[in-house]
Amino acid sequence: MNETIKNILSHRSIRRFKDEPIPQETIETLVQCAQAASTSSYQQVYSIIGVEEQSLKDKLAELAGDQSYVAQNGYFFVFCLDYHRHQLMAEMTGGNVDATVQSKEGFMVGMIDVALASQNLAVAAESLGLGIVYIGGIRNNLREVSELLRCPDHVVPLFGMAVGFPDASPGLKPRLPQEAVFHKNQYKDDEKALPVLKEFEMKTAEYYKERTGGARDEGWATQMARTMAQPKRTYMKEFIESKGLDKQ
Amino acid sequence: MNETIKNILSHRSIRRFKDEPIPQETIETLVQCAQAASTSSYQQVYSIIGVEEQSLKDKLAELAGDQSYVAQNGYFFVFCLDYHRHQLMAEMTGGNVDATVQSKEGFMVGMIDVALASQNLAVAAESLGLGIVYIGGIRNNLREVSELLRCPDHVVPLFGMAVGFPDASPGLKPRLPQEAVFHKNQYKDDEKALPVLKEFEMKTAEYYKERTGGARDEGWATQMARTMAQPKRTYMKEFIESKGLDKQ
């Protein structure tokens, strides 16, 4: 097992950082790593906002649901789906890319492009001994986040990422068994999947029981059924369309 | 610069592989790396299908637009957004996750989860000296791909990835300048972005001119305006909704 794979397999989200900024040179390297990721048809449908001003970070932390590590970290990135650049370039060259930008397929391409770039950045950061945590919480109030960061039409902040020198050392969180998520040739039948998932239910119940000293013993399936019972961020469809995306 | 970062920065898509399969043990490690990625609220909204049967790979290559490297490689993965598992678990525990699964936010979470996992796999593969190429082309005929791989409701194949021992050594493809995609604190004004993008237009025109011996000298913006003039895969919205996803 090489260093890269060791590094990938030891990922855990870090939610407490030392009060120590990350050098600008490192930030540049991390963004360079993000940009090195594959991108659909060379489109590069992303922008990355490096939020450095403490007042902006504080405001983001509040909008993300009072998550302290959004304000207190070595650096804070916001990853955006971005077709504004393509609109600008189409204008410049006398073209029209509206139908692509507004399409479901275009939206999917953008989502994927952004996430590939961000994960490169995450792996690169962790290889340098930094810790990271993805912040989906910025989608709690995306209209406000988008205004705060002055994102124009066709630009949607998808998630944040806090990066920094770790000041915590949480254990690895167990993942679904490989058998449950990995299928050979074709998607496997439920009869094959169910025993594996039931075993995982017991394993995760045990995991939480140990970590909480018995206060919590909810398995993965029970947790999912509970946390997914109510849909989240139900304004999202309207908001995304208001940005001129994912309309047809 | 450490090995991981060197590896990430030297990424290029490989489209010709040696006729040499990847050992199953390596495949297991790669899938393990995929699963180690961050996942929104522990949901793990993905399945990975390892397509090993040559007849299936041939059929996929055809559906992806006759791309030979989909059929000829060391291994072929298909990455799927997967809420079927959550539906199954909700049934088991007497819960109901329909509204979450059907939501725009749920769809976005799934897209991001899948892409984070796939990029971990890509980086891990490249760290082992393997080459990779993402295959968005499977979305050319997603209904047929989904049937071929027997994906149930709430499971959508998003993209494929061919992996293998490289039999080609293409150059690095220039990315947008960091200034163009990286913003400090807030999204930058067009006046600041435009000169950078114009410079990139000349640089990429030069890049293509050199690579094609003068046959092609289209810059990035011109290429985008041309390839994005017509929307692609316009059936996508209907298809995704037919899978029970992204409806509200």
Side-chain angles (χ1 to χ4, degrees):
Chain A
M1 200 184 294
N2 64 35
E3 284 304 309
T4 300
I5 289 177
K6 252 187 238 171
N7 166 35
I8 285 175
L9 292 180
S10 58
H11 163 72
R12 66 228 50 207
S13 295
I14 298 295
R15 293 186 173 82
R16 207 169 67 206
F17 301 99
K18 291 185 181 143
D19 187 16
E20 194 180 335
I22 297 175
Q24 285 291 335
E25 198 188 309
T26 304
I27 300 300
E28 277 167 37
T29 302
L30 294 179
V31 175
Q32 206 185 341
C33 285
Q35 289 196 256
S38 293
T39 164
S40 184
S41 306
Y42 202 24
Q43 288 180 31
Q44 308 173 75
V45 191
Y46 48 76
S47 271
I48 303 172
I49 303 180
V51 185
E52 300 184 355
E53 280 174 24
Q54 193 56 47
S55 61
L56 285 172
K57 288 168 78 165
D58 290 343
K59 185 73 189 149
L60 278 177
E62 190 190 320
L63 289 170
D66 285 320
Q67 298 186 39
S68 60
Y69 36 96
V70 173
Q72 287 147 24
N73 49 53
Y75 205 81
F76 195 76
F77 293 103
V78 175
F79 291 87
C80 308
L81 184 155
D82 186 352
Y83 276 116
H84 174 69
R85 192 181 299 126
H86 305 80
Q87 293 280 7
L88 210 58
M89 293 297 92
E91 258 175 57
M92 189 178 86
T93 59
N96 184 329
V97 297
D98 288 355
T100 293
V101 168
Q102 291 170 13
S103 68
K104 169 75 64 199
E105 161 72 10
F107 186 65
M108 290 168 65
V109 161
M111 299 279 310
I112 297 167
D113 258 25
V114 175
L116 300 187
S118 72
Q119 188 57 15
N120 258 15
L121 192 152
V123 171
E126 290 179 332
S127 80
L128 294 169
L130 298 167
I132 69 114
V133 60
Y134 277 88
I135 309 291
I138 66 161
R139 293 198 304 279
N140 287 351
N141 294 288
L142 213 36
R143 202 177 305 271
E144 292 77 3
V145 168
S146 179
E147 278 168 18
L148 188 71
L149 304 179
R150 302 204 308 161
C151 296
D153 281 355
H154 312 114
V155 177
V156 175
L158 293 180
F159 46 80
M161 189 191 294
V163 183
F165 295 94
D167 196 21
S169 177
L172 286 179
K173 206 163 177 179
R175 294 299 195 250
L176 282 161
Q178 183 159 133
E179 269 181 281
V181 304
F182 189 49
H183 311 249
K184 285 282 174 82
N185 292 307
Q186 289 173 313
Y187 197 93
K188 65 168 69 69
D189 295 333
D190 290 352
E191 303 92 77
K192 282 194 188 151
L194 270 170
V196 182
L197 290 168
K198 281 178 184 164
E199 202 187 309
F200 187 62
E201 182 68 1
M202 290 190 296
K203 186 180 162 187
T204 40
E206 201 52 49
Y207 165 83
Y208 280 115
K209 207 168 166 180
E210 266 179 37
R211 297 221 340 166
T212 62
R216 186 174 161 197
D217 66 347
E218 191 180 50
W220 182 77
T222 316
Q223 186 186 337
M224 291 301 110
R226 177 175 58 79
T227 55
M228 292 169 68
Q230 294 299 324
K232 271 189 195 167
R233 302 160 185 160
T234 50
Y235 72 92
M236 196 57 79
K237 184 174 194 296
E238 199 190 322
F239 173 71
I240 298 290
E241 287 177 10
S242 78
K243 279 289 196 174
L245 299 166
D246 197 13
K247 293 166 89 163
Q248 56 226 12
Chain B
M1 198 184 295
N2 64 35
E3 284 304 311
T4 300
I5 289 177
K6 253 188 237 169
N7 166 34
I8 285 176
L9 292 179
S10 59
H11 163 73
R12 64 230 49 207
S13 296
I14 298 296
R15 294 185 172 82
R16 208 170 65 206
F17 300 100
K18 289 184 182 147
D19 186 16
E20 195 179 335
I22 297 177
Q24 285 291 335
E25 198 188 309
T26 304
I27 299 301
E28 278 166 36
T29 302
L30 294 180
V31 174
Q32 207 186 341
C33 286
Q35 290 196 255
S38 294
T39 163
S40 184
S41 307
Y42 202 24
Q43 289 181 30
Q44 309 173 73
V45 192
Y46 48 76
S47 270
I48 303 172
I49 303 180
V51 185
E52 300 184 353
E53 279 175 25
Q54 193 55 47
S55 61
L56 285 172
K57 288 168 79 165
D58 291 342
K59 185 73 188 151
L60 279 177
E62 191 189 320
L63 290 169
D66 286 321
Q67 297 187 40
S68 61
Y69 37 95
V70 173
Q72 288 147 25
N73 48 54
Y75 205 82
F76 195 76
F77 293 103
V78 175
F79 290 87
C80 307
L81 183 155
D82 186 351
Y83 276 117
H84 174 69
R85 193 181 300 126
H86 305 80
Q87 293 281 7
L88 211 58
M89 292 297 92
E91 260 176 55
M92 190 176 86
T93 58
N96 184 330
V97 296
D98 288 355
T100 293
V101 167
Q102 290 170 14
S103 68
K104 169 75 64 199
E105 163 71 10
F107 186 66
M108 289 168 67
V109 161
M111 299 279 309
I112 296 167
D113 258 25
V114 175
L116 300 187
S118 73
Q119 188 57 16
N120 257 14
L121 192 151
V123 171
E126 290 179 332
S127 81
L128 295 169
L130 298 167
I132 68 114
V133 60
Y134 276 89
I135 309 291
I138 65 162
R139 292 198 306 278
N140 288 351
N141 293 287
L142 213 38
R143 202 177 305 272
E144 292 77 2
V145 168
S146 179
E147 279 169 17
L148 188 70
L149 303 179
R150 302 205 307 162
C151 296
D153 280 355
H154 310 113
V155 178
V156 175
L158 293 180
F159 47 80
M161 189 191 293
V163 183
F165 295 93
D167 196 19
S169 179
L172 286 179
K173 206 163 178 180
R175 294 298 195 251
L176 282 162
Q178 183 159 131
E179 269 180 280
V181 303
F182 188 50
H183 312 249
K184 286 278 174 83
N185 292 308
Q186 290 174 312
Y187 197 93
K188 66 168 68 70
D189 295 333
D190 290 351
E191 303 90 78
K192 283 195 189 151
L194 271 170
V196 182
L197 290 167
K198 281 177 184 165
E199 202 187 311
F200 187 61
E201 181 68 0
M202 290 192 294
K203 186 180 163 188
T204 40
E206 202 51 50
Y207 165 84
Y208 280 115
K209 207 167 165 181
E210 266 180 33
R211 297 221 340 165
T212 63
R216 185 173 163 198
D217 66 347
E218 193 180 48
W220 182 78
T222 317
Q223 186 185 337
M224 291 302 110
R226 177 174 57 78
T227 55
M228 292 169 68
Q230 294 299 324
K232 271 189 195 167
R233 304 163 185 158
T234 50
Y235 71 92
M236 196 56 79
K237 185 173 192 295
E238 198 190 323
F239 174 71
I240 298 290
E241 287 176 10
S242 78
K243 279 289 193 174
L245 299 167
D246 196 12
K247 293 166 90 162
Q248 59 227 11

